[in-house]
Amino acid sequence: MSELCTSFINGGWTSGDGAERIPVISPIDETLVAEIAQADAAEVDHAVRAARKAFVAGTWRNAPVSKRQSVLRRIAALIREKVDVLAERECANAGLPIRQIRERHVQRAAANFEFFADFIGQTANECYEQEPPFLTIVRREPVGIAALVAPWNAPLALATMEMAGALAFGNCCILKPSELTPLEFVPLFELMKEAGVPDGVVGLVNGSGPVTGAALVGHIDIDVVAFIGGTETGRHIARAAGGNLKKYVAELGGKSANIITPQCDLERALDAALVSIYSNNGQQCLAGSRILVDQSIAKDFIDRFVARAKNIRVGDPRDMATEVGPVISRAQYDRVLSFAAGANILTGGKRADGFDRGYYVSPTVALAEDNATPLCQEEIFGPFATFLTYDGIDQAIEIANQSEFGLVAYLWCSDMPTVMRVQDALQAGTIWVNTPLARDLRAPFGGYKNSGVGRTGGLSSRNLFTEEKVVTMPMQDFPIAKLGLG
Ligand code: NAD
């Protein structure tokens, strides 16, 4: 499979004359799977103008809620219908295990549209009554044109979360996916058109961050920027959006602590610790990558974790039995393995056995001496678990919070007073107690510290993608001061 991925503007595929071509390499076997026709600033401007025209025309933003709901639900149904093609493409360019794509990512993409379809049918706006009797109502209008910039690690699931939110509230949007993962967006944009999204309401531009991404987020006619990606990129984009005084939300990196206490179901904690770090090939913002174990149970827990890590089925991600596939790129492969140098590696830390080609890293476990090491402070973003031991729950809290990040934290503990104390003390946007990765789309999701700015989900997405308008009126006549009567 090798094709040219172009822009989707005004309901059709297009690319600028002489657009630069960027190769897309499959992490599975390092073959060329596609090329991107990179959208330059002129092409991005073309996309923004088309979106503005559609927004002004108002076909989508003025459509009744029931109409928008039915289109969003139709998108969800088509995503589920086309699971084979979507999963095959995401697997080919992201290298994620096909079982995880089929059972989680594609289902989540559909659920994102279903969730916002339901949500817009149920939310109410505030209304205030005053004495003397004034009525103040808060109305919400779509913001306008949303620029959505997405990463490669869960391309469909994450991009659709932003798109579904923007569309549900009546906006037009333009997506800039990662230049590493353009393939799955071809069928996605086609099925959105088939589902009845009017031309111009959704746009797609492909290309690198510094060229296409920067042109999009810095475009003066963009009204809101939603970004999911790395912390350093988040800073760049914040400057561009802030310079134009635009709304901005950023979901950034993490180095999440997974605290294992002696008072928990250790069997479940073990299963979950493995899932939290090794699913998605370890490339998850919310990975439980720093596993903190009380020293009284550390040896047994770590030994059992290592035995299971050695047993993980690393393989071609197109195989339904594969549990861990290749990391996304040569650069990511080199970066992940660089953390093994000089570290106390208990297993892995090297190329997975049996692969001549592709970016396969053997599931890795390291034992760190100190939370200050790069192993504990940097987001590695690969199948690489780091253990630290602690002495008592207060030390666990201290270590967990010693991080520039604060996206999520995991706690395994069945003692309720301890759970309440620890959740209160942890500095993270989400605390998962006795569970791995459970997201409720109604709840706000985002990070403390350098893990993000703002939140998405439920009301947070509504606040992001709408502009508030306050209308105040008297409910009966009232005396108005009479100026100018002499
Ligand atoms: P990245 O920051 O390198 O790229 C993300 C996107 O930003 C890509 O589309 C890229 O082309 C674009 N980009 C890069 N420079 C840009 C610029 N100057 N202007 C505009 N756009 C630009 O991130 P990545 O490597 O694709 O993804 C991995 C990172 O994403 C990890 O740090 C991970 O933790 C984070 N992430 C966070 C969440 C979350 O919800 N918090 C979810 C998934 C991934």
Side-chain angles (χ1 to χ4, degrees), residues 149-154 158 176-180 207-217 227-234 236-237 250-254 283-286 332 379 381 407 439 445-447 451-452:
V149 181
W152 48 259
N153 66 308
L158 294 172
K176 208 293 286 171
S178 168
E179 56 276 35
L180 302 177
S208 74
V211 175
T212 312
L216 181 63
V217 301
F227 172 65
I228 306 177
T231 295
E232 268 320 297
T233 314
H236 278 290
I237 299 184
E251 300 186 355
L252 308 175
Q283 301 166 138
Q284 303 196 86
C285 56
L286 36 71
Q332 193 63 15
E379 184 182 43
F381 226 58
L407 190 60
R439 184 163 176 192
F445 182 80
S451 286

Side-chain angles (χ1 to χ4, degrees), residues 70-214:
S70 70
V71 172
L72 296 175
R73 290 193 178 114
R74 181 83 187 116
I75 295 173
L78 287 171
I79 288 175
R80 292 193 204 284
E81 231 172 72
K82 294 178 196 291
V83 57
D84 291 345
V85 64
L86 290 166
E88 183 196 324
R89 283 169 168 258
E90 183 137 305
C91 186
N93 68 182
L96 302 173
I98 191 114
R99 178 185 287 275
Q100 294 174 23
I101 301 176
R102 293 181 69 91
E103 294 176 1
R104 283 185 22 221
H105 296 242
V106 175
Q107 303 312 321
R108 169 67 195 281
N112 289 334
F113 287 99
E114 282 160 350
F115 168 76
F116 280 107
D118 291 344
F119 192 80
I120 55 173
Q122 293 176 8
T123 48
N125 289 329
E126 304 105 288
C127 174
Y128 303 100
E129 292 186 26
Q130 257 170 301
E131 276 299 327
F134 279 92
L135 186 66
T136 292
I137 56 174
V138 180
R139 302 193 58 235
R140 286 174 193 273
E141 297 176 353
V143 179
I145 317 292
L148 312 174
V149 181
W152 48 259
N153 66 308
L156 276 174
L158 294 172
T160 53
M161 179 66 186
E162 304 297 18
M163 293 176 79
L167 290 174
F169 295 104
N171 298 278
C172 295
C173 63
I174 299 167
L175 174 70
K176 208 293 286 171
S178 168
E179 56 276 35
L180 302 177
T181 52
L183 270 180
E184 49 276 61
F185 295 101
V186 178
L188 181 73
F189 274 69
E190 276 169 0
L191 71 82
M192 286 193 291
K193 186 175 169 87
E194 185 184 341
V197 177
D199 291 351
V201 170
V202 288
L204 169 74
V205 286
N206 278 306
S208 74
V211 175
T212 312

Side-chain angles (χ1 to χ4, degrees), residues 4 20-24 32 34-38 179 206-208 212:
L4 185 62
E20 189 185 333
R21 304 267 180 110
I22 301 179
V24 180
L32 181 80
E35 282 182 300
I36 284 172
Q38 172 157 269
E179 56 276 35
N206 278 306
S208 74
T212 312

